[in-house]
Amino acid sequence: MSVTGSVAGDPPVTPTPEAVESGGWRRHALAAGFLAPAAIFLGVWIVYPTLTTIWRSFFDESGDEFVGLQNYQTLFTSDVILTAIKNNAIWVLVVPALVTSVGLVFAVLTERIPWSVAFKTAVFMPMAISAFAAGITWRIVYLQEPDRGALNAGIAVVKDSFSSGGVLADARPSSDALEGTSQGTIRLAEPVGRGDIALLGLTAIGSSEVPDDAEQAVRPEALQGGIRGVVWRDFKPGGGTAGEVEPDELGLPGVTVKLRTSGGGAVGSTMTATDGTFSFDEVESGEYSVAIGSESFSQSFGGVTWLGEKLVTPAILISYLWIWAGFAMVVIAAGLAAIPRDVLEAARTDGGTEWQVFRRVTVPLLAPVLTVVFITMLINVLKVFDIVIAIAPGSVQDDATVLALQMWRTAFGGSNDFGVGSAIAVFIFLLVVPILALNIRRFRREL
Amino acid sequence: MAHAETAGPITAPPAEDERLSARILRFLGRAPVHIFLVVIGLLWLVPTLGLFLTSLLSPGDFGDQGWWQLFSEPSKVTFENYEAVFDNDTLISALFTTLIVAVGGTILPIIVAAMAGYAFAWLDFPGRDWLFILVIALLVVPLQMALIPIFSLYNKLGIFDTTLSLILFHTAFGLPFAIFLLRNFFIGIPRDLMEAARIDGASEIRIFLRLILPLGLPAIASLGIFQFLWTWNDLLVALTFCRETQPITVAIFSQLRQFGANIELIAPATFVSLIIPLGVFFAFQRYFVEGLLAGSVK
């Protein structure tokens, strides 16, 4: 929740009003009056619950029986909680470093760009949106069907323009020598044996669908003890003879050809070369069928399952970066603006390249700001909740879960185990205590 | 040449054409940076744009293709989904709940924190620094630590499932940051002003109301925006302490189970829920950024 609750600041001056001894108790009463409302809120809603939760974590589900450290033992034996710990470790290792570096890159790149305000506004905007709404926004991006999910649609476009997938989408046998359709397999009607040549001519392939690396189809030489053949586009402008390899007919590269025994047992599988030829070199005598594998026909891209158990955590991390990069950028840009120009200019005139200046001067000078961003993100990541519950579908929440989410699920999401729930909360608390100590030390130095 | 450059800005200007060519070269050298930033900036807008355009598609059209179909067929835009959202009593009352919680959860902590911030900045009392360090310590207490005990407390007090319960919780957890921010701002108010007012015989309460609050307005504005965004955007607290009294996030959350089948409801409801904080953000962007920097860097 806390956006900036990281590092304590340094007040410019600490003007302790000295001449206030007179009327001591009245002044103290006044101070107490000003502080009372805050004290009540902090005491009742933060201090008292914190102590109670620590106490509660040593009792069982119902709170009646003292169980010692048993709830903490559960943290490290329950599969789901272990997953939460593991996932949170990934978050801790990846997110603060990633967000800080991306923010640094953006801040440096936009520094001398006249239209940087537009860029910064676009990148910073997600900060205003709730993590929950951002989660739903990204869930629409991650929809699996390439027809509906923008990310998979983008991948489908790239895939289509780079791969030869779908070459044989509507392919048909060019002659009676073959049977079958592109919906299943296309195979030679007659069985073949050693030394035979299998001619697999196909038609109804648009010229734009033929892979760019396709070459003139070649009728291979027969091979003693083996079966050779060719898969080619049995069509040329102005006609030609079906079932014969002729000049200007292209081979179809990258097609899977399968060899089976007449009983249907698989013997081998190979890919065609750029001229469409293929070869099964050592084949025992007997009758075989030659078929084009169904995987060669149009496999329309079904979309990456972003929100399945494997990719759900990286997917959520990306959307989290989308939210927080703007924060890092703005804070680092402010730090960058505070670096004296002449320091950078001096480094440049001393012959430093832009990269050297960046590495040796800019980054070291920015170190305090980078630390602030890093620590802020560290605290945020330990408490991340909304975006996980929003993006991860119910079925993979066990795989995507993190500590804060698992705490809520344990205590309020059905099983209502306040004992283990408290233990998870204390565990999160223990993880932020070192940061807390750091904050206080810094602040006391500055006070 | 290098010496001339470092010697000072007022050197003889180089020949006009030389400068022009240098500028063109520099621009070309930076062209990849411009292109990169344009691409990244657009990419950053895509998810939100996608949500908005999805909310303008009828369920049937969305079943065919994603929101980008609106670029080729803009006539498919429909506001029926929004009409349905505004006819939906649950969602409307949820928006109301969110508004009440956000306004209450913004004003109350500002008042409480301004008082405390003033005491920490300008009143002298024993243990002041230690108490302030305690406040800073509370800054990082995860709110998970409070959920279970407060859940029990609210049940005992009988305020479970009310907007009040949310406002009080948000106030408490907003306070450490709020006190921290305001104290640091108040302490920067010139001391002469304070002393002059005290010599004039103004009471501390008067000084607080007439001097500190008006002068502290920029910090209060920053704080108000933060607090408003936090409370408006909250899901966890409301999910824990409310059943019937649902803010908009919870109302949408309860629809998520059928995600995919009911996007015509979820997309516009989500967009409505985020357009208000977005408006606040754009209207007060300056204060937002200033508060952010005051809280994290200074």
Short mmCIF file of all heavy atoms in Angstrom, two decimals, chain B residues 222-246:
data_model
loop_
_atom_site.label_atom_id
_atom_site.label_comp_id
_atom_site.label_asym_id
_atom_site.label_seq_id
_atom_site.Cartn_x
_atom_site.Cartn_y
_atom_site.Cartn_z
N SER B 222 -0.71 17.35 -1.54
CA SER B 222 -0.03 16.11 -1.96
C SER B 222 -0.57 14.92 -1.18
O SER B 222 -0.93 13.88 -1.74
CB SER B 222 1.46 16.20 -1.68
OG SER B 222 2.02 17.24 -2.41
N LEU B 223 -0.62 15.12 0.14
CA LEU B 223 -1.07 14.04 1.00
C LEU B 223 -2.49 13.63 0.67
O LEU B 223 -2.81 12.44 0.60
CB LEU B 223 -0.98 14.53 2.45
CG LEU B 223 -1.47 13.55 3.50
CD1 LEU B 223 -0.60 12.32 3.46
CD2 LEU B 223 -1.42 14.19 4.88
N GLY B 224 -3.34 14.65 0.45
CA GLY B 224 -4.74 14.35 0.15
C GLY B 224 -4.87 13.50 -1.10
O GLY B 224 -5.66 12.55 -1.14
N ILE B 225 -4.06 13.81 -2.12
CA ILE B 225 -4.15 13.04 -3.36
C ILE B 225 -3.71 11.59 -3.13
O ILE B 225 -4.38 10.65 -3.56
CB ILE B 225 -3.30 13.71 -4.45
CG1 ILE B 225 -3.96 15.03 -4.83
CG2 ILE B 225 -3.17 12.82 -5.66
CD1 ILE B 225 -3.00 16.01 -5.41
N PHE B 226 -2.59 11.44 -2.42
CA PHE B 226 -2.14 10.08 -2.11
C PHE B 226 -3.19 9.28 -1.38
O PHE B 226 -3.53 8.16 -1.74
CB PHE B 226 -0.90 10.14 -1.20
CG PHE B 226 0.35 10.18 -1.97
CD1 PHE B 226 1.11 11.34 -2.02
CD2 PHE B 226 0.79 9.07 -2.65
CE1 PHE B 226 2.26 11.39 -2.74
CE2 PHE B 226 1.95 9.12 -3.37
CZ PHE B 226 2.69 10.28 -3.42
N GLN B 227 -3.69 9.90 -0.32
CA GLN B 227 -4.62 9.20 0.54
C GLN B 227 -5.89 8.85 -0.23
O GLN B 227 -6.42 7.75 -0.11
CB GLN B 227 -4.91 10.10 1.75
CG GLN B 227 -5.54 9.40 2.93
CD GLN B 227 -4.66 8.32 3.53
OE1 GLN B 227 -3.45 8.41 3.50
NE2 GLN B 227 -5.29 7.29 4.04
N PHE B 228 -6.32 9.79 -1.08
CA PHE B 228 -7.52 9.54 -1.87
C PHE B 228 -7.29 8.35 -2.81
O PHE B 228 -8.13 7.45 -2.92
CB PHE B 228 -7.89 10.78 -2.68
CG PHE B 228 -9.15 10.64 -3.49
CD1 PHE B 228 -10.38 10.85 -2.90
CD2 PHE B 228 -9.11 10.24 -4.83
CE1 PHE B 228 -11.55 10.69 -3.63
CE2 PHE B 228 -10.27 10.08 -5.56
CZ PHE B 228 -11.49 10.32 -4.96
N LEU B 229 -6.14 8.35 -3.46
CA LEU B 229 -5.86 7.26 -4.40
C LEU B 229 -5.76 5.92 -3.67
O LEU B 229 -6.28 4.90 -4.12
CB LEU B 229 -4.58 7.53 -5.19
CG LEU B 229 -4.66 8.69 -6.17
CD1 LEU B 229 -3.33 8.87 -6.91
CD2 LEU B 229 -5.79 8.50 -7.17
N TRP B 230 -5.07 5.91 -2.53
CA TRP B 230 -4.93 4.66 -1.77
C TRP B 230 -6.28 4.10 -1.36
O TRP B 230 -6.55 2.92 -1.54
CB TRP B 230 -4.11 4.90 -0.50
CG TRP B 230 -2.66 4.97 -0.76
CD1 TRP B 230 -1.99 4.44 -1.83
CD2 TRP B 230 -1.67 5.60 0.05
NE1 TRP B 230 -0.66 4.72 -1.72
CE2 TRP B 230 -0.43 5.43 -0.58
CE3 TRP B 230 -1.73 6.29 1.26
CZ2 TRP B 230 0.75 5.92 -0.05
CZ3 TRP B 230 -0.55 6.78 1.79
CH2 TRP B 230 0.68 6.60 1.14
N THR B 231 -7.11 4.97 -0.78
CA THR B 231 -8.38 4.46 -0.28
C THR B 231 -9.32 4.09 -1.44
O THR B 231 -10.00 3.09 -1.39
CB THR B 231 -9.07 5.48 0.63
OG1 THR B 231 -8.98 6.76 0.02
CG2 THR B 231 -8.38 5.55 1.98
N TRP B 232 -9.31 4.91 -2.47
CA TRP B 232 -10.16 4.60 -3.62
C TRP B 232 -9.74 3.26 -4.22
O TRP B 232 -10.57 2.45 -4.63
CB TRP B 232 -10.07 5.70 -4.68
CG TRP B 232 -10.97 5.45 -5.85
CD1 TRP B 232 -10.78 4.56 -6.86
CD2 TRP B 232 -12.25 6.05 -6.09
NE1 TRP B 232 -11.83 4.56 -7.72
CE2 TRP B 232 -12.75 5.48 -7.28
CE3 TRP B 232 -12.99 7.03 -5.43
CZ2 TRP B 232 -13.98 5.85 -7.81
CZ3 TRP B 232 -14.21 7.39 -5.98
CH2 TRP B 232 -14.70 6.81 -7.15
N ASN B 233 -8.46 3.02 -4.30
CA ASN B 233 -7.95 1.85 -5.00
C ASN B 233 -7.85 0.60 -4.14
O ASN B 233 -7.47 -0.45 -4.62
CB ASN B 233 -6.56 2.17 -5.58
CG ASN B 233 -6.64 3.14 -6.74
OD1 ASN B 233 -7.70 3.27 -7.37
ND2 ASN B 233 -5.55 3.83 -7.03
N ASP B 234 -8.19 0.72 -2.87
CA ASP B 234 -8.01 -0.43 -1.98
C ASP B 234 -8.88 -1.62 -2.34
O ASP B 234 -10.05 -1.48 -2.70
CB ASP B 234 -8.34 -0.01 -0.55
CG ASP B 234 -8.55 -1.20 0.35
OD1 ASP B 234 -7.56 -1.88 0.65
OD2 ASP B 234 -9.71 -1.49 0.72
N LEU B 235 -8.29 -2.79 -2.25
CA LEU B 235 -9.08 -4.02 -2.37
C LEU B 235 -8.99 -4.83 -1.08
O LEU B 235 -10.00 -5.27 -0.52
CB LEU B 235 -8.57 -4.87 -3.55
CG LEU B 235 -9.20 -6.25 -3.67
CD1 LEU B 235 -10.64 -6.17 -4.12
CD2 LEU B 235 -8.41 -7.14 -4.62
N LEU B 236 -7.77 -5.01 -0.59
CA LEU B 236 -7.51 -5.93 0.52
C LEU B 236 -8.33 -5.61 1.77
O LEU B 236 -8.98 -6.49 2.34
CB LEU B 236 -6.01 -5.90 0.84
CG LEU B 236 -5.53 -6.67 2.06
CD1 LEU B 236 -5.92 -8.12 1.98
CD2 LEU B 236 -4.03 -6.54 2.21
N VAL B 237 -8.32 -4.34 2.19
CA VAL B 237 -9.00 -3.97 3.43
C VAL B 237 -10.50 -4.20 3.29
O VAL B 237 -11.14 -4.80 4.17
CB VAL B 237 -8.69 -2.50 3.79
CG1 VAL B 237 -9.45 -2.07 5.03
CG2 VAL B 237 -7.20 -2.30 3.99
N ALA B 238 -11.06 -3.76 2.18
CA ALA B 238 -12.49 -3.90 1.97
C ALA B 238 -12.89 -5.37 1.86
O ALA B 238 -13.93 -5.80 2.36
CB ALA B 238 -12.92 -3.14 0.73
N LEU B 239 -12.03 -6.14 1.22
CA LEU B 239 -12.32 -7.56 1.05
C LEU B 239 -12.36 -8.26 2.40
O LEU B 239 -13.08 -9.23 2.60
CB LEU B 239 -11.21 -8.17 0.18
CG LEU B 239 -11.52 -9.38 -0.67
CD1 LEU B 239 -12.73 -9.15 -1.55
CD2 LEU B 239 -10.31 -9.70 -1.54
N THR B 240 -11.58 -7.75 3.35
CA THR B 240 -11.49 -8.39 4.65
C THR B 240 -12.63 -7.96 5.58
O THR B 240 -13.17 -8.78 6.31
CB THR B 240 -10.14 -8.05 5.32
OG1 THR B 240 -9.10 -8.35 4.39
CG2 THR B 240 -9.94 -8.84 6.59
N PHE B 241 -12.98 -6.67 5.54
CA PHE B 241 -13.90 -6.16 6.55
C PHE B 241 -15.32 -5.95 6.04
O PHE B 241 -16.15 -5.43 6.78
CB PHE B 241 -13.36 -4.85 7.14
CG PHE B 241 -12.03 -5.02 7.82
CD1 PHE B 241 -10.96 -4.20 7.51
CD2 PHE B 241 -11.84 -6.02 8.77
CE1 PHE B 241 -9.74 -4.36 8.14
CE2 PHE B 241 -10.63 -6.19 9.39
CZ PHE B 241 -9.58 -5.36 9.07
N CYS B 242 -15.59 -6.26 4.80
CA CYS B 242 -16.93 -6.02 4.29
C CYS B 242 -17.50 -7.22 3.57
O CYS B 242 -16.77 -7.97 2.92
CB CYS B 242 -16.93 -4.80 3.36
SG CYS B 242 -16.74 -3.28 4.26
N ARG B 243 -18.80 -7.40 3.68
CA ARG B 243 -19.50 -8.42 2.93
C ARG B 243 -20.53 -7.76 2.01
O ARG B 243 -20.48 -7.89 0.81
CB ARG B 243 -20.21 -9.40 3.87
CG ARG B 243 -19.27 -10.22 4.73
CD ARG B 243 -18.55 -11.31 3.92
NE ARG B 243 -17.56 -11.99 4.75
CZ ARG B 243 -16.32 -11.56 4.94
NH1 ARG B 243 -15.92 -10.44 4.35
NH2 ARG B 243 -15.48 -12.21 5.71
N GLU B 244 -21.48 -7.06 2.64
CA GLU B 244 -22.56 -6.43 1.88
C GLU B 244 -22.17 -5.03 1.42
O GLU B 244 -22.53 -4.60 0.34
CB GLU B 244 -23.83 -6.35 2.73
CG GLU B 244 -24.28 -7.69 3.29
CD GLU B 244 -24.70 -8.65 2.20
OE1 GLU B 244 -25.38 -8.21 1.26
OE2 GLU B 244 -24.34 -9.84 2.29
N THR B 245 -21.48 -4.30 2.30
CA THR B 245 -21.06 -2.94 1.97
C THR B 245 -19.85 -3.00 1.07
O THR B 245 -18.73 -2.89 1.52
CB THR B 245 -20.70 -2.17 3.26
OG1 THR B 245 -21.66 -2.48 4.26
CG2 THR B 245 -20.67 -0.68 3.01
N GLN B 246 -20.10 -3.20 -0.23
CA GLN B 246 -18.96 -3.42 -1.12
C GLN B 246 -18.51 -2.15 -1.81
O GLN B 246 -19.31 -1.50 -2.48
CB GLN B 246 -19.35 -4.42 -2.20
CG GLN B 246 -19.63 -5.80 -1.67
CD GLN B 246 -19.92 -6.77 -2.80
OE1 GLN B 246 -20.30 -6.36 -3.89
NE2 GLN B 246 -19.72 -8.04 -2.53
#
